[in-house]
Amino acid sequence: MRLPFQAKFLLFSVLILAIVLSSAFYYLYNQAFETVGKKFTVDFQAGRAAALSIMRLRLDTLGDKVQVISKAPQIRPILEDPSVDYATIQFSFADFKESLGTDILIICNPDGRVQYWADRPEASGRSIRGWSVVEDALKIKRAWGVQVVDTH
């Protein structure tokens, strides 16, 4: 059975149209996928930069507060005297804990022994030298503190 010319022409036109539409769809799909990937990368980098900036600002602010506390005339002698009991240290740091705006404050002597740990008086005298985050901070030798976020 032979197809009439109109049927052949219609079949050819539909085939060409299907090829053109498929090519256009493939091109547009790839362009959209590439654009979304680039947008995601840019947004992720911007979010990462913002998060790092906020964390640096928080650490700098915390560092400034810790420097003020460590140089306070009523605190320095307490930290330098190993015979001072925990209750005295806790009483002395009560006001400073509020001004730091932090839930956790751990003060250690140069040997890494806890002198004051807000909300955990039983930790007094414990060493923090075995903590991996502390070991990593000590390796760079410029750390004045460690910020723990979600146990990391």
Side-chain angles (χ1 to χ4, degrees):
M1 172 164 149
R2 220 175 130 106
L3 291 174
F5 176 74
Q6 289 93 356
K8 287 180 185 177
F9 182 74
L10 181 63
L11 186 61
F12 179 73
S13 298
V14 168
L15 182 63
I16 294 295
L17 184 61
I19 290 171
V20 168
L21 287 176
S22 297
S23 298
F25 176 75
Y26 180 76
Y27 174 77
L28 290 174
Y29 174 79
N30 283 338
Q31 287 299 314
F33 191 77
E34 186 177 313
T35 301
V36 168
K38 286 179 182 177
K39 175 78 170 135
F40 175 79
T41 301
V42 167
D43 289 349
F44 181 78
Q45 293 298 335
R48 182 177 182 268
L52 287 173
S53 175
I54 289 170
M55 192 157 61
R56 276 190 211 105
L57 179 63
R58 286 182 67 198
L59 284 172
D60 289 345
T61 302
L62 184 60
D64 293 343
K65 290 177 180 180
V66 167
Q67 289 294 329
V68 168
I69 290 171
S70 68
K71 292 177 179 162
Q74 69 270 33
I75 296 296
R76 192 169 190 94
I78 292 172
L79 294 177
E80 291 173 350
D81 185 359
S83 65
V84 175
D85 65 342
Y86 186 85
T88 304
I89 296 173
Q90 187 174 20
F91 178 75
S92 300
F93 274 97
D95 293 334
F96 289 112
K97 183 179 179 256
E98 287 295 319
S99 67
L100 279 175
T102 183
D103 295 332
I104 300 171
L105 176 63
I106 304 170
I107 307 295
C108 298
N109 66 14
D111 297 330
R113 298 254 172 235
V114 174
Q115 285 184 289
Y116 172 75
W117 187 329
D119 305 326
R120 292 204 45 204
E122 71 278 2
S124 180
R126 242 188 236 169
S127 177
I128 63 167
R129 288 278 179 159
W131 295 2
S132 61
V133 69
V134 173
E135 293 298 323
D136 293 344
L138 290 173
K139 284 179 190 172
I140 62 172
K141 297 187 186 216
R142 294 187 62 210
W144 50 262
V146 176
Q147 181 176 10
V148 179
V149 179
D150 293 334
T151 70
H152 300 321

